[in-house]
Amino acid sequence: MTPEEFNNLEQGQQKFMLCDADKICENSSGLFKEELFKIDNLFVEVKTSSLNRFRRQIKAYSLNQIPTNYLLSY
C-alpha cells in the first residue's frame, strides 16, 4: 500500500489498520501528542490534540517522506 492509498482510506479503516501497527516513537508537548507507527513499508503519523482527545490527524508517509522530527527515533 502506498501513502496516498492509505491517506485516501476512510478514517475508520485507517484506525483499524493502526491496531496491528508497530509504534516507533511518541512525542508530547503541551498542545498535542505525536505518534509514529510502522505498517510494513508505510509510516503513519497520528497527532492527537491535548485539549480535545477525540480530534486526530492521521497521515501516512514513505520512508523518504518522514518528517525530520522522527528521523532520529528511527
Side-chain angles (χ1 to χ4, degrees):
M1 176 176 285
T2 67
E4 293 80 16
E5 291 171 336
F6 182 88
N7 290 331
N8 289 330
L9 291 175
E10 293 180 14
Q11 194 172 28
Q13 292 173 310
Q14 290 176 342
K15 289 179 182 179
F16 181 77
M17 290 185 72
L18 286 171
C19 291
D20 293 330
D22 296 322
K23 185 188 252 185
I24 295 175
C25 70
E26 178 178 319
N27 299 318
S28 293
S29 71
L31 299 176
F32 56 90
K33 178 172 75 169
E34 297 175 313
E35 299 170 290
L36 186 67
F37 296 90
K38 185 173 187 238
I39 304 170
D40 297 325
N41 62 344
L42 189 67
F43 295 86
V44 181
E45 176 186 48
V46 178
K47 290 184 181 181
T48 307
S49 169
S50 296
L51 301 174
N52 183 354
R53 296 197 182 268
F54 298 106
R55 182 163 176 99
R56 290 192 175 133
Q57 178 184 5
I58 301 173
K59 186 169 182 186
Y61 302 96
S62 63
L63 180 59
N64 62 348
Q65 296 173 324
I66 296 175
T68 56
N69 57 322
Y70 295 115
L71 292 178
L72 297 176
S73 300
Y74 184 72

